[in-house]
Amino acid sequence: MTNAIAVAVSGGQDSLLALSLMQEQGYDVHALHAFFLPPSERLRRTAAKLEDSCRALSVPLHVTDLSEEFERLVVAPFVDDYAKGGTPNPCALCNRQMKFGLLLDAARRHGAERIATGHYARISEHPEFGKTLLCGEDRSKDQSYFLALVPRNALAHAVFPLARWCKKDVMAELAARRLPPPLPSESQEVCFIPDDDYKTFLVRRNVRLGGPGPVILPDGTPLGNHQGLWRYTLGQRRGLGIAWKYPLYVIRKDLKNNTLIVGTDQEMRRSTCRVEELNILVPPAHWPKKVHVKTRYRQHPSPATVELRGTAPTQDMKIRFEHPEFPPTPGQVAALYTEDGMVLAGGRIEE
RNA sequence: UGGGGUGUGGCCAAGCUGGUAAGGCAGCGGAUUUUGGUUCCGCCAUUCGAGGGUUCAAAUCCUUCCACCCCAG
């Protein structure tokens, strides 16, 4: 058994500290950096800086171009989902397909059985069923939600050096270690959408997106027009452009009639949802009766009960929340937790 | 052209015993943030349909006109 480990480095602070921490712990460290977008001048510059950082640490850096795969496995499904009226979660997909898929494969090619990343989440060894995924120590920064679609056999090879770190301590620690991150503070560059403008991005992709249509209240009262259902997501408030007595939220997208149904905060809330493409991380036999579910990032897990239906490939589950929730949105991830933050399963919200 | 009502920012709407324009919605900006969304904070009428008058002072009182709405034999 070797103690070789690959560390996925993006150029940001978190992964750089992860790299340094792993090395400090005596691992035989390899740094992996991948281009998820076609290598531009800017990306090459980041890679060059990373090279400097790695040289300073005497760690070998392997750079690969995974832009074609990223396009196929993350971007294309993202665009496709929007075109179909869904609200995709590309980060969750990226973790499953890229970081704990292709990058893990790359790690193995370099002789490492494990891969470390800068995620704020924990992996622990459970006496009965092995490796489990836990939320990060710093719950406000916890990223386990985005990892809920990563298969168990991949997570078994994951290491999260920042598990017990707080975001605010990372920068100070890097400074103390004299490790300037190639990409300074926030790194919007990780995202494949320029300027956070996904609408323009989608329009430029030249896919077939729906056009304008009516906006109505649940009772059918017409209020105005929308600019294409793909531009809205369940629970959305801003951007409707309709002045009403009370704030209006998107409560339903009627794709068949190209109609947007809006209503009050109360009318918007749901207490059930159906989840497919399950990624079971803990055997259901060990699940508590009451679980806690996140259907969006930055949401406190909500108490709920779960009903598993069907078997393996086509298995799905029905979730019933104790209290009405902001509407679970098709395309987003539902992550099931125990009360103390162990991830039981993840899946794709269908309705 | 008989009677009644209304006219305040993009929308809705307080204010109308005169004292120098609430609030909500929408919008814009920012904060938060590995997705979308949510939430939070900030900014948004020198002006109250128009003109004239009374007054130290009017969206608020008087008057004329204009617009729209309702009832009407």
Side-chain angles (χ1 to χ4, degrees), chain A residues 36-349:
Chain A
F36 285 168
L37 297 178
S40 61
E41 195 47 48
R42 184 195 202 89
L43 293 181
R44 291 193 186 289
R45 217 177 307 136
T46 299
K49 287 185 186 172
L50 260 176
E51 202 134 5
D52 293 340
S53 303
C54 289
R55 192 175 303 120
L57 290 166
S58 302
V59 167
L61 172 69
H62 310 282
V63 179
T64 49
D65 180 356
L66 295 178
S67 57
E68 281 177 29
E69 293 83 349
F70 185 74
E71 163 62 32
R72 180 164 48 82
L73 298 170
V74 178
V75 182
F78 169 85
V79 173
D80 200 45
D81 210 356
Y82 264 116
K84 287 178 180 160
T87 305
N89 189 327
C91 293
L93 256 194
C94 178
N95 281 330
R96 176 171 68 191
Q97 306 284 32
M98 307 301 294
K99 295 173 187 162
F100 297 97
L102 299 179
L103 278 182
L104 178 55
D105 292 343
R108 287 175 169 138
R109 282 199 299 278
H110 290 291
E113 270 306 307
R114 285 168 293 177
I115 186 164
T117 66
H119 286 101
Y120 292 84
R122 287 173 289 163
I123 294 286
S124 79
E125 188 72 35
H126 189 281
E128 288 181 69
F129 36 84
K131 293 267 171 61
T132 60
L133 175 64
L134 299 168
C135 66
E137 189 90 337
D138 179 359
R139 285 228 183 185
S140 68
K141 182 66 184 172
D142 170 44
Q143 292 172 328
S144 60
Y145 174 76
F146 287 112
L147 295 167
L149 296 186
V150 178
R152 201 174 168 214
N153 59 14
L155 282 175
H157 299 276
V159 176
F160 301 128
L162 302 188
R164 298 181 185 284
W165 283 75
C166 285
K167 179 69 181 176
K168 61 179 179 342
D169 298 329
V170 170
M171 209 185 322
E173 185 61 27
L174 283 176
R177 290 168 184 247
R178 296 168 182 276
L179 285 173
L183 292 172
S185 50
E186 29 57 46
S187 54
Q188 297 292 49
E189 321 302 322
V190 292
C191 192
F192 54 92
I193 295 180
D195 306 319
D196 277 337
D197 184 357
Y198 79 96
K199 289 169 186 163
T200 299
F201 176 83
L202 286 169
V203 169
R204 288 192 180 145
R205 288 289 292 206
N206 216 12
V207 288
R208 183 186 286 164
L209 300 163
V215 178
I216 64 173
L217 287 175
D219 68 6
T221 307
L223 296 182
N225 296 294
H226 67 254
Q227 297 307 308
L229 291 181
W230 60 276
R231 293 173 181 273
Y232 309 88
T233 190
L234 301 193
Q236 178 174 339
R237 171 181 171 178
R238 301 190 78 174
L240 291 175
I242 296 169
W244 201 238
K245 308 177 182 84
Y246 41 77
L248 295 169
Y249 297 85
V250 172
I251 64 181
R252 201 157 69 77
K253 291 163 85 166
D254 181 347
L255 300 167
K256 198 174 161 194
N257 298 305
N258 193 31
T259 298
L260 193 67
I261 297 95
V262 299
T264 64
D265 177 289
Q266 287 308 307
E267 290 171 320
M268 160 189 75
R269 291 172 188 277
R270 296 288 147 69
S271 46
T272 65
C273 74
R274 188 164 60 79
V275 178
E276 292 184 350
E277 296 173 38
L278 305 187
N279 179 46
I280 307 285
L281 296 179
V282 169
H286 295 273
W287 295 4
K289 305 118 296 222
K290 182 200 282 189
V291 297
H292 290 73
V293 181
K294 275 175 89 157
T295 56
R296 54 215 334 117
Y297 185 52
R298 271 190 303 287
Q299 168 200 41
H300 284 299
S302 304
T305 55
V306 176
E307 178 193 344
L308 269 171
R309 304 183 296 201
T311 50
T314 60
Q315 194 172 33
D316 73 350
M317 60 188 176
K318 176 103 172 183
I319 297 176
R320 293 176 194 285
F321 295 99
E322 283 187 6
H323 311 291
E325 290 292 306
F326 246 72
T329 309
Q332 289 290 299
V333 170
L336 273 55
Y337 295 81
T338 59
E339 185 156 22
D340 46 350
M342 179 190 292
V343 183
L344 301 169
R348 182 183 200 278
I349 296 167

